[in-house]
Amino acid sequence: MSVGLPGAGIGGVFYLVSALVMPVREAGRALRGDVAAHRWRVVLRQVGMAAGVIAAIWAVGWLLGVVLGPRPAAASLGSLGSAGAGAPAEVRNVLRMAALIFTFGTLAAVLIAVQVLRFVVRRKAGRGGCAVASASTPVNPTCLLLFLVAGATANRSAAAQEAPGPRFSKETPAALSRADSAYRAGDRVLAERLYARVLSADPENSRATFRLAQLRRDRAKESIRLFRRYIALEPDDPWGYMALGDAYAGRGDFPRALDIYAQAMRRAPGERDAVVGRAALLGRAGRTDEALATYQAWLARHPADAEAWRELARQRQRAGRVYGAV
């Protein structure tokens, strides 16, 4: 890592690598038939930002070299006097390749360690090696550390579980419980395999249908088919319609997505996710005036919704109403 150069540390390099890999991942999606123009715009924007960061890091290193003082090109440790007096000055960039290699190596070591610990946690959980502690059983420090590391990688999935969501009509048998545990732990591959196994035994299991559709969002046609199946199983659940609308929006089919969101609002007129989600889709579809009206109507009844205020400001800025956005 290079001291004094923002973006050259582990976090900065992780962002740069992630951004530069995005076109490869999006190309893979396109080859599978999942094409969405708005995603390419996001990808290209991120790649452009990463290129700008790289250029800025190089420029800062070069400027620091200028400020710290150029060295005579012919000077050496033994001839800093007369031999280097007339030699032309050479400006050296303070950014060193060795430092970047060390940063990449540290980042790779951290990522590998996290994956190894997750693997160990899954194996211990499968063998019962890290059981739940009771009042008479002390906590195993190793297991505690492993579960903390695994939990840190699954925060986003766990947060999604706590938010309001779809209502499932079926009970949770053992196989479905294992699939839910894998989903909450962020193990998408295992969760997808287990949910598919549940559906093969019980094709009308609405919970497995919904989760499998979520896990297959990168396969748009399959995800839409599963969300439509979920709606058939749970016709009164507005979250099924919202999820299907988001899936259509991911393909750029905004008219159909908005129509499906309207069906969700008919089932839950006062549900925030339905109202604000439809407003966001209106903005993405270029129907800015309708989006503004929807946000304003919602905020008139819910003035403490900070996220809706931020989205309203963005829509006003997009419409050229800078003063109103501020």
Side-chain angles (χ1 to χ4, degrees):
M1 289 160 279
S2 297
V3 178
L5 290 182
I10 296 177
V13 171
F14 180 76
Y15 164 73
L16 294 175
V17 172
S18 301
L20 295 176
V21 169
M22 287 180 70
V24 178
R25 183 172 182 270
E26 195 62 29
R29 283 182 168 183
L31 291 176
R32 292 194 298 268
D34 183 8
V35 180
H38 75 276
R39 279 207 309 261
W40 273 111
R41 288 195 294 270
V42 173
V43 169
L44 294 177
R45 188 182 306 121
Q46 292 296 325
V47 172
M49 290 172 60
V53 170
I54 292 172
I57 292 173
W58 182 90
V60 170
W62 183 84
L63 287 172
L64 285 174
V66 173
V67 172
L68 294 176
R71 298 182 179 181
S76 63
L77 289 176
S79 58
L80 290 177
S82 59
E90 176 190 11
V91 176
R92 294 187 179 182
N93 195 310
V94 299
L95 185 64
R96 292 288 180 264
M97 185 59 64
L100 291 179
I101 293 174
F102 178 76
T103 301
F104 277 107
T106 306
L107 175 61
V110 171
L111 293 177
I112 292 171
V114 170
Q115 295 303 319
V116 169
L117 287 172
R118 289 183 65 195
F119 174 75
V120 172
V121 168
R122 287 200 297 270
R123 291 197 61 183
K124 283 183 174 290
R127 294 197 306 265
C130 287
V132 177
S134 63
S136 60
T137 306
V139 177
N140 186 328
T142 303
C143 291
L144 179 60
L145 174 62
L146 294 175
F147 278 120
L148 287 175
V149 172
T153 63
N155 279 341
R156 197 170 177 182
S157 298
Q161 292 291 318
E162 296 171 359
R167 299 183 297 272
F168 304 110
S169 62
K170 294 189 175 296
E171 297 297 326
T172 306
L176 189 56
S177 179
R178 289 182 59 209
D180 288 338
S181 297
Y183 182 85
R184 287 191 293 269
D187 192 339
R188 297 176 60 87
V189 175
L190 178 61
E192 182 177 350
R193 184 166 67 248
L194 292 174
Y195 282 127
R197 189 179 302 171
V198 171
L199 282 181
S200 65
D202 181 9
E204 295 188 355
N205 191 295
S206 62
R207 186 185 192 90
T209 302
F210 189 89
R211 292 301 187 215
L212 194 59
Q214 288 181 308
L215 291 167
R216 293 180 176 176
R217 284 187 185 276
D218 57 341
R219 287 160 275 177
K221 292 182 180 179
E222 177 66 8
S223 179
I224 288 174
R225 183 188 70 79
L226 288 167
F227 279 132
R228 295 186 72 88
R229 173 62 178 163
Y230 175 79
I231 287 175
L233 295 170
E234 303 285 351
D236 296 326
D237 186 0
W239 275 273
Y241 294 88
M242 286 184 269
L244 179 59
D246 290 337
Y248 277 118
R251 300 184 64 185
D253 191 347
F254 292 108
R256 188 173 297 182
L258 289 167
D259 179 67
I260 293 172
Y261 255 87
Q263 297 181 53
M265 292 181 64
R266 284 197 292 270
R267 286 162 175 79
E271 176 55 50
R272 179 193 184 280
D273 288 351
V275 177
V276 176
R278 186 172 183 274
L281 284 183
L282 286 167
R284 290 171 59 187
R287 295 162 61 174
T288 308
D289 290 338
E290 294 177 67
L292 289 172
T294 305
Y295 280 123
Q296 289 166 350
W298 172 260
L299 287 169
R301 299 189 302 272
H302 305 86
D305 192 335
E307 182 181 355
W309 280 112
R310 287 195 297 271
E311 292 303 320
L312 175 61
R314 291 192 183 98
Q315 292 301 324
R316 285 184 173 176
Q317 185 178 17
R318 182 177 298 177
R321 305 175 190 177
V322 180
Y323 180 78
V326 172

